[in-house]
Amino acid sequence: MQNNQPVEFNHAINYVNKIKNRFQGQPDIYKAFLEILHTYQKEQRNAKEAGGNYTPALTEQEVYAQVARLFKNQEDLLSEFGQFLPDANSSVLLSKTTAEKVESVRNDHGGTVKKPQINNKQQRPSQNGCQIRRHSGPGATPPVKKKPKILIPKDQSLTDANKHGAGAESQFFDKVRKALRSAEAYDNFLRCLVIFNQEVISRSELVQLVSPFLAKFPELFTWFKNFLGYKESSHLESFPKERNTEGIAMEIDYASCKRLGSSYRALPKSFQQPKCTGRTPLCKEVLNDTWVSFPSWSEDSTFVSSKKTQYEEHIYRCEDERFELDVVLETNLATIRVLEAIQKKLSRLSAEDQAKFRLDNTLGGTSEVIHRKALQRIYADKAADIIDGLKKNPAVAVPIVLKRLKMKEEEWREAQRGFNKIWREQNEKYYLKSLDHQGINYKQIDTKVLRSKSLLNEIESIYDERQEQASEDNSGVPTGPHLTLTYEDKQILEDAASLIIHHVKRQTGIQKEDKYKIKQIIYHFIPDLLFSQRGELSDVEEEEEEETAETEDGVNKKHNGVGGGGASTPPKTKLMFANTAAQKFRGMEDAYNLFYVNNNWYIFLRLHQILCSRLLRIYNQAEKQVEEELREREWEREVLGLKRDKNDSPAIQLRLKEPMDIEAVDYYPAFLDMVRNLLDGNMDSNQYEDSLREMFTIHAFIAFTMDKLIQSIVRQLQHIVSDEICVQVTDLYLSEGSCSYPSIPQPG
């Protein structure tokens, strides 16, 4: 209020428009300004409804302070805003949507709409739903209560709103007129209906505007909302805090709607569908007008969108490029078909009719957008002139444009054939890798896990934690193992031994005698430690074999790793573990071996167990795939009557992966051979990984570091047989074992 005179409504509207234009490049500031006003309006409304029991959370002073921070370096805007809140004793609150749209209505209808004078005890809305409240200054006497005056242009639209109703509707308007007891207020109510009928405001906004009129008359207000088809939403904030829930979401209580899954709701049968022109019978048959996507969001949700690997990105990029090219080609082809139809039509017309013939914005088709985009893609900034020529003189322009479109069609089709080859190659290259999410980072992570320092830190951390727990509980010295590791398959011990010895034999840095000691550890000591069957020592270094004596018939005693009784021992090399008693207790369940070890022995034993567990996982996966393949082929044969070849899978037919020469039953032996080739350097690591993915799909990653694991085991074995402390640890174990079982006969 200025000089005790009401602030003009136009002034408020112009001020809002000035802010919008000033911050046109910074829409967040404009939205923040509106949000401040909306919040204040809501607080004042709550305070009014609650009477004197509610204290608004946002005062006039706080409104001015927030706007001052928002309009920093904009002194003119802040000064003008101060006119609405002099001394922070008055405020103007403008609703975002209605404030903007009613301005256009005012311009359309002409005339001047003045805001009513409203005292601090009475509050009535203006035509745009804004509220301007006047507060008396400190010590001032309350103003005299005056009757609101609203000057409304007497256009025909207001009176028409009262004529279209019949029956119950007419009775409703009569009741509203009598209830409001004021011609000006009733005309203001009708104006709200007019701007709603002109689709200036939404249904929810209309209810918000008329609520000050009808809120005191619950029966009328309820009838009005039912007549509009408006339903109160229990799970949405009141208007207009959440602007993204405007429109349909504000009018429908989706919590009570029929559900389909967790993200879809069915619109109620009473919902009036918006107008949609241009639909064919097919559109009406297949398009969805019932189910609405209504996901439930949570501010505390920890959901993270799917992260794609680099190989997935390649696949997605191929798909995107393929889609974009398809859109270009189909848009161009649709325009060609439309113009061909126009050309045929022109050919049947006389010269005079051709000169008179014109095209509309659809260029003879059904869409204004598709054909315009096709022409813009070809003619760029000249497209507007081309479209204008097609509309005004199609007889001349259509043949020229059609020729250009067809030329581009051939050019782009040829390009598509070239791109198809590139896309196919990329799909074949990245298909299997795109499915393998764990294999991408597995090698880097596993290298750290297999480090000696990591393995030692693991057991030391477990030990320290147990000691701390015991000291806290005062339970004394803790008992039981700190770490329990399981060997689930004895056959896997032989496979692990075969791979380790295969790599040991090819190490030129290990002496011959040490190699034989390592073989004894792998084939004798480890099985004894685990109460398993010993392996044979028949496969010795070739240089040693040349020194061994041959039999009378000239046959060498080499058995190539297969069990045999006539094993030859290299000269000057003794059996290290001939006096072990573990074999006697292989069938007993409660037997155990106690072995005090140093770091090298501990790291070796940990790595050996990791190797066996991974080999077992690959073996189990191979067995599982064999069963699945047999089950699938049996189902196809019995149910579908088909006999499918192994290379008839969709992925192979689509050339996403190459056909395999290996049967599923041979996957595991083939895998062991690939590990040997990788250790020998006869196979590239990328080829090794790709072959594993083809066989074991997403489960192959566990074997990607198999070569590094075996190499680490061999390094520890080299320390065990050559380092003095490791040898003493081994001798201590053997001597204690010999003393514990004196009755066991010793080999000669």
Side-chain angles (χ1 to χ4, degrees):
M1 306 297 292
Q2 285 180 309
N3 301 325
N4 294 327
Q5 297 296 324
V7 177
E8 289 294 333
F9 175 76
N10 288 346
H11 185 195
I13 291 295
N14 292 334
Y15 179 69
V16 173
N17 289 335
K18 183 186 294 186
I19 295 173
K20 185 176 182 181
N21 294 331
R22 179 75 59 86
F23 299 105
Q24 188 172 5
Q26 298 172 287
D28 292 338
I29 295 180
Y30 176 65
K31 292 179 180 178
F33 171 72
L34 294 176
E35 185 64 23
I36 293 172
L37 300 184
H38 294 158
T39 304
Y40 177 76
Q41 183 185 31
K42 182 179 178 181
E43 289 296 319
Q44 293 299 319
R45 188 183 304 116
N46 292 340
K48 180 186 176 183
E49 293 174 356
N53 299 327
Y54 182 88
T55 302
L58 190 64
T59 64
E60 290 86 352
Q61 291 85 351
E62 292 171 341
V63 170
Y64 189 89
Q66 290 184 16
V67 173
R69 286 193 297 269
L70 197 62
F71 291 166
K72 58 183 178 181
N73 303 326
Q74 304 288 340
E75 297 297 332
D76 58 331
L77 290 179
L78 187 59
S79 176
E80 190 172 355
F81 182 75
Q83 298 176 14
F84 298 98
L85 291 174
D87 298 328
N89 286 328
S90 300
S91 62
V92 60
L93 299 178
L94 303 176
S95 173
K96 174 184 175 182
T97 304
T98 55
E100 296 169 351
K101 293 181 177 179
V102 170
E103 172 67 10
S104 64
V105 176
R106 185 182 62 80
N107 293 335
D108 293 340
H109 288 273
T112 303
V113 181
K114 291 188 177 180
K115 202 63 185 164
Q117 299 180 18
I118 305 175
N119 60 26
N120 60 339
K121 295 183 180 179
Q122 192 174 8
Q123 184 174 335
R124 293 186 184 276
S126 69
Q127 69 175 50
N128 73 321
C130 304
Q131 298 176 1
I132 300 179
R133 300 189 62 192
R134 182 178 66 188
H135 297 264
S136 303
T141 58
V144 180
K145 184 175 180 181
K146 295 183 179 180
K147 184 178 181 180
K149 290 186 177 181
I150 305 177
L151 299 180
I152 303 176
K154 298 297 182 179
D155 50 23
Q156 190 64 27
S157 59
L158 287 177
T159 56
D160 289 343
N162 196 22
K163 295 180 180 179
H164 295 297
E169 292 81 3
S170 297
Q171 294 177 8
F172 168 75
F173 285 104
D174 291 336
K175 292 179 180 179
V176 171
R177 183 188 297 108
K178 295 177 182 178
L180 294 179
R181 299 180 183 179
S182 169
E184 291 85 359
Y186 181 70
D187 288 339
N188 205 16
F189 170 78
L190 294 180
R191 179 172 288 280
C192 296
L193 302 184
V194 169
I195 61 177
F196 171 75
N197 289 334
Q198 293 174 345
E199 298 181 355
V200 175
I201 60 176
S202 67
R203 188 177 309 176
S204 58
E205 290 170 334
L206 174 61
V207 173
Q208 183 70 20
L209 289 181
V210 303
S211 60
F213 295 102
L214 303 180
K216 295 181 180 180
F217 313 104
E219 294 182 1
L220 293 177
F221 199 23
T222 302
W223 189 96
F224 180 76
K225 288 189 289 186
N226 292 337
F227 177 74
L228 282 178
Y230 176 86
K231 291 185 178 181
E232 297 289 344
S233 179
S234 59
H235 64 285
L236 294 174
E237 295 280 341
S238 60
F239 173 84
K241 183 177 180 180
E242 294 292 339
R243 305 304 299 177
N244 58 348
T245 58
E246 192 173 82
I248 294 178
M250 285 295 295
E251 302 169 8
I252 299 175
D253 181 11
Y254 286 99
S256 61
C257 293
K258 182 180 178 182
R259 295 190 176 194
L260 181 63
S262 59
S263 298
Y264 287 92
R265 304 289 186 273
L267 291 172
K269 295 181 179 180
S270 59
F271 176 74
Q272 184 178 0
Q273 294 286 349
K275 294 180 180 179
C276 180
T277 59
R279 282 198 178 186
T280 64
L282 178 61
C283 294
K284 296 178 181 178
E285 181 180 346
V286 300
L287 294 181
N288 167 49
D289 286 325
T290 303
W291 295 101
V292 178
S293 176
F294 194 78
S296 300
W297 301 104
S298 173
E299 304 230 348
D300 301 327
S301 175
T302 57
F303 175 78
V304 180
S305 59
S306 174
K307 295 182 179 180
K308 301 178 180 62
T309 65
Q310 57 178 323
Y311 305 108
E312 277 187 295
E313 290 291 351
H314 283 293
I315 300 294
Y316 275 90
R317 193 176 300 116
C318 288
E319 190 63 26
D320 287 342
E321 292 171 355
R322 196 188 297 269
F323 170 77
E324 293 295 336
L325 185 53
D326 284 344
V327 170
V328 171
L329 290 171
E330 291 302 319
T331 303
N332 192 67
L333 184 59
T335 307
I336 289 175
R337 289 170 178 166
V338 167
L339 294 185
E340 282 180 342
I342 297 299
Q343 191 175 37
K344 289 181 180 179
K345 185 175 182 179
L346 288 170
S347 65
R348 293 193 292 267
L349 299 177
S350 62
E352 183 179 355
D353 291 337
Q354 288 182 3
K356 296 179 181 179
F357 187 76
R358 298 289 184 271
L359 292 176
D360 57 9
N361 291 333
T362 64
L363 301 180
T366 58
S367 172
E368 297 183 14
V369 179
I370 294 176
H371 311 311
R372 183 170 68 245
K373 283 188 175 181
L375 295 173
Q376 286 175 344
R377 189 172 288 111
I378 295 176
Y379 293 100
D381 53 349
K382 302 295 184 183
D385 297 334
I386 298 298
I387 294 173
D388 189 59
L390 286 170
K391 292 164 64 176
K392 293 181 178 180
N393 196 354
V396 176
V398 167
I400 299 174
V401 174
L402 191 57
K403 182 179 179 181
R404 181 73 181 275
L405 291 173
K406 289 183 177 179
M407 183 176 65
K408 283 294 181 181
E409 171 77 9
E410 295 178 2
E411 179 183 335
W412 289 339
R413 291 290 178 186
E414 181 63 29
Q416 186 186 39
R417 286 189 285 271
F419 282 127
N420 282 337
K421 295 179 182 179
I422 298 174
W423 290 328
R424 184 177 296 278
E425 291 174 359
Q426 290 179 341
N427 282 333
E428 291 176 0
K429 183 178 181 180
Y430 298 120
Y431 168 69
L432 289 172
K433 292 180 180 178
S434 69
L435 302 177
D436 187 11
H437 282 248
Q438 300 183 81
I440 305 300
N441 302 317
Y442 179 76
K443 290 192 293 184
Q444 181 180 0
I445 296 173
D446 196 56
T447 301
K448 298 178 181 178
V449 172
L450 297 180
R451 287 177 182 169
S452 301
K453 185 177 180 180
S454 299
L455 296 174
L456 292 174
N457 287 340
E458 176 193 24
I459 189 66
E460 288 174 359
S461 298
I462 296 174
Y463 174 82
D464 292 340
E465 289 175 4
R466 178 174 290 190
Q467 292 296 114
E468 292 176 4
Q469 185 67 29
S471 61
E472 292 176 0
D473 299 342
N474 296 322
S475 56
V477 180
T479 59
H482 293 86
L483 198 61
T484 302
L485 305 172
T486 305
Y487 287 80
E488 299 179 6
D489 193 319
K490 295 181 179 180
Q491 180 63 39
I492 295 298
L493 284 174
E494 299 179 12
D495 297 332
S498 174
L499 293 175
I500 293 171
I501 298 304
H502 176 87
H503 188 57
V504 168
K505 290 196 308 182
R506 284 152 179 77
Q507 301 306 302
T508 57
I510 304 178
Q511 297 180 4
K512 298 176 183 178
E513 185 175 350
D514 288 344
K515 288 182 179 179
Y516 191 70
K517 291 178 180 178
I518 290 174
K519 289 184 65 176
Q520 290 187 69
I521 291 175
I522 296 300
Y523 283 129
H524 283 182
F525 181 77
I526 295 299
D528 287 353
L529 198 64
L530 302 175
F531 301 101
S532 182
Q533 180 66 45
R534 279 188 174 191
E536 297 294 337
L537 297 175
S538 58
D539 189 8
V540 296
E541 276 28 80
E542 293 186 6
E543 294 85 358
E544 295 172 352
E545 291 173 2
E546 294 175 358
E547 298 175 3
T548 58
E550 295 185 351
T551 56
E552 293 182 358
D553 56 0
V555 179
N556 198 317
K557 294 184 179 180
K558 180 181 177 183
H559 292 275
N560 296 320
V562 181
S568 63
T569 303
K572 302 178 183 179
T573 303
K574 66 176 182 177
L575 292 174
M576 298 170 56
F577 308 108
N579 59 348
T580 180
Q583 292 298 316
K584 178 180 178 181
F585 301 99
R586 280 198 299 124
M588 300 180 62
E589 294 183 359
D590 297 333
Y592 70 92
N593 285 312
L594 179 61
F595 187 16
Y596 290 96
V597 299
N598 63 344
N599 286 352
N600 293 109
W601 264 107
Y602 171 75
I603 294 169
F604 161 70
L605 291 172
R606 286 288 287 114
L607 293 175
H608 184 268
Q609 193 276 336
I610 292 173
L611 173 63
C612 291
S613 65
R614 293 183 180 180
L615 288 175
L616 182 60
R617 286 182 61 177
I618 294 294
Y619 176 80
N620 290 337
Q621 180 60 32
E623 292 292 309
K624 183 178 179 181
Q625 290 184 208
V626 170
E627 294 176 2
E628 290 178 351
E629 183 174 320
L630 292 175
R631 193 183 307 114
E632 183 178 355
R633 291 190 181 184
E634 183 178 355
W635 181 84
E636 289 177 346
R637 184 173 60 254
E638 294 180 356
V639 178
L640 303 179
L642 300 176
K643 187 177 181 181
R644 180 173 61 84
D645 187 71
K646 66 175 182 177
N647 293 331
D648 288 344
S649 69
I652 294 177
Q653 291 177 343
L654 292 172
R655 293 179 60 183
L656 294 175
K657 69 175 185 178
E658 295 296 327
M660 291 286 293
D661 295 331
I662 307 172
E663 295 287 348
V665 292
D666 298 326
Y667 278 179
Y668 183 71
F671 155 70
L672 296 178
D673 288 338
M674 286 194 296
V675 175
R676 295 186 182 97
N677 290 330
L678 183 65
L679 289 168
D680 295 344
N682 297 330
M683 193 175 194
D684 180 69
S685 60
N686 291 329
Q687 181 186 357
Y688 168 76
E689 292 175 15
D690 290 342
S691 299
L692 284 183
R693 287 192 186 97
E694 291 177 2
M695 291 191 296
F696 304 109
T697 63
I698 61 174
H699 307 282
F701 72 93
I702 196 69
F704 285 174
T705 56
M706 196 66 70
D707 57 330
K708 301 293 189 298
L709 178 56
I710 294 173
Q711 290 166 2
S712 298
I713 290 174
V714 172
R715 282 196 297 270
Q716 296 302 326
L717 284 170
Q718 190 175 3
H719 283 293
I720 287 173
V721 298
S722 59
D723 184 76
E724 181 179 356
I725 302 299
C726 295
V727 172
Q728 291 178 5
V729 167
T730 308
D731 291 341
L732 177 63
Y733 170 76
L734 295 175
S735 62
E736 289 295 324
S738 176
C739 295
S740 300
Y741 309 103
S743 61
I744 297 179
Q746 305 294 326

